[in-house]
Amino acid sequence: MSEKAGALAAEVPSARAADDALHDAPVGTFWFTVKLWLARLVLLAVLLGAWEWASGTIIDPFWVSAPSQVLDRLREWIVTGSLWFHLGITLQETIAGFVSGSVAGMALGFLLGRNEFLARVLDPFILSIYSLPKVALAPLFILWFGIGIAAKIVLSAVIVFFLVFYNTYAGVRDADQDLIDVVRLMRGKRRHVLTIAVIPSAMVWVFTGLKIAVPYALIGAVVGEMMASNKGLGHLIEGSAGQFDTAGVFAALLVLMAISTTLHELLNRLERIVLRWKLVNR
Amino acid sequence: MLIEYRALGKRFWKGGKPVQAIDNLSFSVAKGEFVSVVGPSGCGKSTLLNLAAGLMAPTSGEVRYAGEPVRDVNHRVGYMTQKDSLMPWRTVEGNVDLALRIQGVARGERRDRTRHYINLVGLGGFEQHYPGELSGGMRKRVALARLLVYDPETLLMDEPFGALDAQLKMVMHEELLAIRDRTNKTIVFVTHDLTEAVTLSDRVVVLAPRPGRVKLIHEVPLERPRNVFQIRFTPRFGEIFETLWSAIEQDMRKGEEV
């Protein structure tokens, strides 16, 4: 019986997993949370332990370094202060790119979502730029804006822009016409229709776009730094790799991971505040 | 006449095929009159309200409001649709005070009026709840409070009490009639509940389905103010009910076969 269930679970992972989680342990209770985190910590310890062990016994540490060496390198960067400097640069680019790209994406998304003719006129233009791999624009931006942080911000913003724009646009188009009519019948002007019916409804989609865009904002900044820069985490990775310092590469990757998950979590919290009404709609 | 439907026709396109929802339909509603529209499903009852609200345009004929053809959204009517159409992101209070906010009513007055109508529909204590937390019947009552709070000249109501239990329904009937007697509002009321139609109305319009057209218009000469709890047991009520029922019955049976 249990084997059968296991085989099924392998076939349809998502549905089965969700089902099992519901039946297995009462999700959300204190002990469930303790168990969950314990399991995660054990898995992390096993992975790190295996890495540490394998490095030097199976694989040459030159290629994979080792957790202890990565930690050493991080400690060194913290002591010399270079970590904070590079981290600060990358964060600055990522956040500036993310914010400007999202604001522009939301603005155009709302504008075109409410103006179908304009949307149709612009559609092929937007689509053709969208279909371009945006990192291919990096050399052009470096040419225009130099090797400072401006080029990275622009690259990051362009990538984020499309993700947020398309989601916002879809969200606006998805707004319930009945709700819009309610506002119109009450003598609501255009701005009332927007603020009362359209924007709150589109926020669900906007947040989906924003959350997808976080790691991409980081991609824009780091790719820019790797191409032409003398600072930032991308430069740190490029520099470490150039000196065959795998520990340095992994240390920088670790920091990138930390940035990305932190930003994602911040957005999650903001979403829980803005979309509070969704939490009760169960 | 406040609302006039003149030789009205409305065609929809469904899956590439035209469907005649309403055909050559005419009747009028006088100012201050309470008119119910009844009939089996598919006879275009809701469409009539949408047309009067200016949310859609007729295919032929016209709809006039206060002598003028309805061309755009009709701001002089308040419309309670069959779907409750509450904003899920606004609390009960935030939904009810919508029209007052749009009108720019000052905060204190807005709060007082909103609370008054929330209490009136029996939802005191639920002001800060979101629609997602409420039952279907409660959401309907929020929609009713939202309609009444801004005092529109005419009320268009599409099965407003359909989701309520029998007792609450009667309480709402009593309240609606009290408001009507006090304000002399014009009300067009769509329902499939004949008892409800006779209890509330001055006139009942029976529609025949596919395409929707007027089958019978019947006066309800019952005295006002009415006692909504007892009026249904009077002989006069029974007679009117029978007449209307026999008009609807034929189409109901036909409707089942289709």
Side-chain angles (χ1 to χ4, degrees), chain A residues 176 178-189 191-192 195-198 200-201 276-277 280-282, chain B residues 53 55 72-77 79 83 85-90 98-99 102 130-133 146 150:
Chain A
D176 188 343
D178 290 347
L179 299 188
I180 294 172
D181 286 341
V182 165
V183 179
R184 286 166 75 216
L185 277 163
M186 290 172 175
R187 289 178 193 276
K189 306 266 186 296
R191 72 188 152 94
H192 293 122
T195 55
I196 295 170
V198 177
S201 151
R276 195 176 53 234
W277 60 273
V280 302
N281 286 9
R282 290 282 150 84
Chain B
L55 297 178
D72 200 356
V73 173
N74 185 353
H75 296 305
R76 291 166 69 177
V77 303
Y79 187 5
K83 223 173 93 187
S85 295
L86 300 176
M87 315 283 162
W89 43 84
R90 296 182 84 97
L98 266 181
I102 291 170
Y130 286 98
E133 300 171 278
R146 179 178 71 180
Y150 75 108

Side-chain angles (χ1 to χ4, degrees), chain B residues 19-56:
Chain B
V19 176
Q20 193 76 31
I22 293 173
D23 190 33
N24 196 22
L25 178 149
S26 301
F27 77 89
S28 323
V29 180
K31 190 156 174 48
E33 198 179 15
F34 195 129
V35 171
S36 285
V37 179
V38 299
S41 54
C43 63
K45 294 179 299 233
S46 301
T47 309
L48 281 183
L49 296 191
N50 282 333
L51 288 163
L55 297 178
M56 51 173 73

Side-chain angles (χ1 to χ4, degrees), chain A residues 11-29:
Chain A
E11 278 169 39
V12 266
S14 57
R16 272 287 154 172
D19 216 4
D20 285 350
L22 282 178
H23 292 300
D24 222 47
V27 180
T29 61

